[in-house]
């Protein structure tokens, strides 16, 4: 068996493996890195097999040379492989090639009317069957998803995974990462929390009472989102304000902080006198990155 024939068998035998690997990746392995790794692994396997075959042939030739085996004896030793190869490819013996010569001739070379190799014919029939099944599955019965539908499904699944991940990370917010929640749902939730826990000291409209006024531009402990969140989280024990981190989750503290942030500039009745230092929100926002960020 020649090297060319042997390599042809290996390559044709490994081609279906690539298709099966692709389907396996599509169904079970959902990362491009794994796909690349599998492709590289298959490539390495093919190259390794080729190198081993070449090395074995070289070793066999060397051994035969040292043992003094003649070309006729070598031919006899591979006669069985030659017979199998001929059957696989439906080859005619050289002495019978005259029976399948055609009239096609060019430059002294005549064409043989060989049959197609049986393995190739059956692979061709298999592609026809595959094509019919594919057509029925994707375009007639609609039991399979086309590329566009599959893309939409995968994007939907990815969005659900992102939402699930964000849900698990929501309570990681702190005074360093807190942002203003602009959604109506978050502000409504913050208003409910404010009405339940903060009204007693700050008034129903933030006008102040026992606690300071939350609607003017004067703040004792800072008027930025980070400052408000920090004050709620750790409290001000010396002023009688408890640390709400034991009763509220980080998300709830972010929601009520956002609600308090929206009270700036409102005009409730009977506001308490200003306390603390003036906080210019406009100037603070212009001198730094925008403090209000969408986080719906």
């Amino acid at each position: 068996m020649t090297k060319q024939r042997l390599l042809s068998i290996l390559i044709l035998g490994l081609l279906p493996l690539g298709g099966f690997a692709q389907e396996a990746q599509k169904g079970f392995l959902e990362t491009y890195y794994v796909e690349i790794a599998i492709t590289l692994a298959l490539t390495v396997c093919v190259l390794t097999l080729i190198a081993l075959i070449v090395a074995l042939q070289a070793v066999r030739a060397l051994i035969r040379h040292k043992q003094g085996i003649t070309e006729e004896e070598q031919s006899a030793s591979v006669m069985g492989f030659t017979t199998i190869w001929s059957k696989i490819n439906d080859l005619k013996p050289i002495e019978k090639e005259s029976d399948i010569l055609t009239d096609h001739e060019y430059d002294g070379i005549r064409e043989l009317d060989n049959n197609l190799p049986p393995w190739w014919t059956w692979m061709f029939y298999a592609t026809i069957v595959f094509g019919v099944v594919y057509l029925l599955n994707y375009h007639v019965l609609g039991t399979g998803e086309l590329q566009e539908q599959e893309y939409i499904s995968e994007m939907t699944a990815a969005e659900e995974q992102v939402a699930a991940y964000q849900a698990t990370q929501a309570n990681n917010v702190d005074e360093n990462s807190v942002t203003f929640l602009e959604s109506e749902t978050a502000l409504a939730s913050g208003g409910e929390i404010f009405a339940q826990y903060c009204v007693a000291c700050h008034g129903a409209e933030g006008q102040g009472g026992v606690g300071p006024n939350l609607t003017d531009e004067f703040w004792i402990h800072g008027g930025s989102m980070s400052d408000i969140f920090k004050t709620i989280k750790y409290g001000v024990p010396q002023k009688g304000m408890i640390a709400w981190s034991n009763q509220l989750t980080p998300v709830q503290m972010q929601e009520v902080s956002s609600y308090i942030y929206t009270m700036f500039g409102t005009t409730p009745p009977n506001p308490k006198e200003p306390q603390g230092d003036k906080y210019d929100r406009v100037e603070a926002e212009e001198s730094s990155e925008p403090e209000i960020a969408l986080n719906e």
Side-chain angles (χ1 to χ4, degrees):
M1 183 185 299
T2 65
K3 294 181 182 179
Q4 291 79 2
R5 290 177 177 177
L6 193 56
L7 292 178
S8 299
I9 292 176
L10 285 174
I11 294 173
L12 291 172
L14 288 171
L15 282 177
L17 294 179
F20 290 126
Q22 184 178 4
E23 291 300 321
Q25 294 163 21
K26 180 178 177 182
F28 305 101
L29 306 174
E30 301 178 352
T31 69
Y32 292 109
Y33 296 107
V34 176
E35 294 177 358
I36 293 173
I38 290 179
T39 303
L40 291 176
L42 288 175
T43 303
V44 171
C45 288
V46 172
L47 295 176
T48 303
L49 284 174
I50 294 174
L52 287 174
I53 291 170
V54 173
L56 286 174
Q57 287 184 341
V59 171
R60 288 178 61 187
L62 181 61
I63 293 174
R64 287 173 178 171
H65 176 72
K66 289 185 176 182
Q67 292 176 348
I69 299 176
T70 63
E71 290 292 334
E72 291 75 12
E73 292 173 333
Q74 292 183 25
S75 299
S77 66
V78 297
M79 186 61 68
F81 294 104
T82 304
T83 302
I84 295 174
W85 177 261
S86 298
K87 289 182 178 180
I88 291 176
N89 292 278
D90 194 19
L91 298 176
K92 294 289 184 182
I94 296 178
E95 58 271 11
K96 294 184 179 181
E97 284 187 351
S98 58
D99 299 337
I100 57 174
L101 280 173
T102 66
D103 296 332
H104 302 161
E105 186 269 338
Y106 179 79
D107 197 20
I109 300 174
R110 298 184 64 182
E111 180 182 356
L112 293 175
D113 188 18
N114 281 316
N115 294 328
L116 289 172
W119 59 266
W120 191 96
T121 304
W122 285 109
M123 286 183 64
F124 177 70
Y125 292 153
T127 60
I128 296 176
V129 174
F130 175 82
V132 173
V133 174
Y134 184 93
L135 180 66
L136 291 174
N137 184 41
Y138 290 98
H139 297 282
V140 178
L141 301 178
T143 53
E145 291 185 335
L146 295 175
Q147 289 183 349
E148 182 177 359
Q149 295 171 333
E150 186 177 2
Y151 171 78
I152 295 174
S153 299
E154 290 182 355
M155 291 300 296
T156 301
E159 290 175 357
E160 292 175 354
Q161 292 177 357
V162 170
Y165 174 78
Q166 290 179 340
T168 62
Q169 298 298 310
N171 284 328
N172 289 339
V173 64
D174 60 15
E175 60 271 21
N176 297 315
S177 61
V178 65
T179 56
F180 176 77
L181 300 178
E182 191 173 325
S183 68
E184 295 182 0
T185 302
L187 292 177
S189 177
E192 293 175 359
I193 297 171
F194 184 88
Q196 182 176 358
Y197 297 106
C198 309
V199 166
C201 295
H202 296 281
E205 299 181 27
Q207 69 271 23
V210 176
N213 183 359
L214 302 177
T215 64
D216 59 23
E217 55 187 356
F218 291 88
W219 293 81
I220 301 175
H221 304 287
S224 66
M225 271 294 298
S226 176
D227 293 331
I228 297 173
F229 183 93
K230 185 177 181 180
T231 303
I232 294 172
K233 180 179 180 179
Y234 299 107
V236 188
Q238 63 273 23
K239 296 287 185 69
M241 180 174 176
I242 66 173
W244 291 99
S245 57
N246 296 326
Q247 300 186 45
L248 301 176
T249 66
V251 172
Q252 289 176 320
M253 290 188 290
Q254 184 180 22
E255 290 172 344
V256 70
S257 297
S258 299
Y259 179 77
I260 294 173
Y261 201 77
T262 62
M263 290 182 171
F264 172 75
T266 59
T267 56
N270 302 318
K272 189 175 181 179
E273 69 279 0
Q275 293 176 282
D277 301 323
K278 182 177 180 179
Y279 177 77
D280 193 330
R281 181 180 296 182
V282 176
E283 181 180 350
E285 292 175 353
E286 289 178 350
S287 62
S288 62
E289 294 183 359
E291 187 176 3
I292 299 180
L294 296 180
N295 190 10
E296 299 184 6

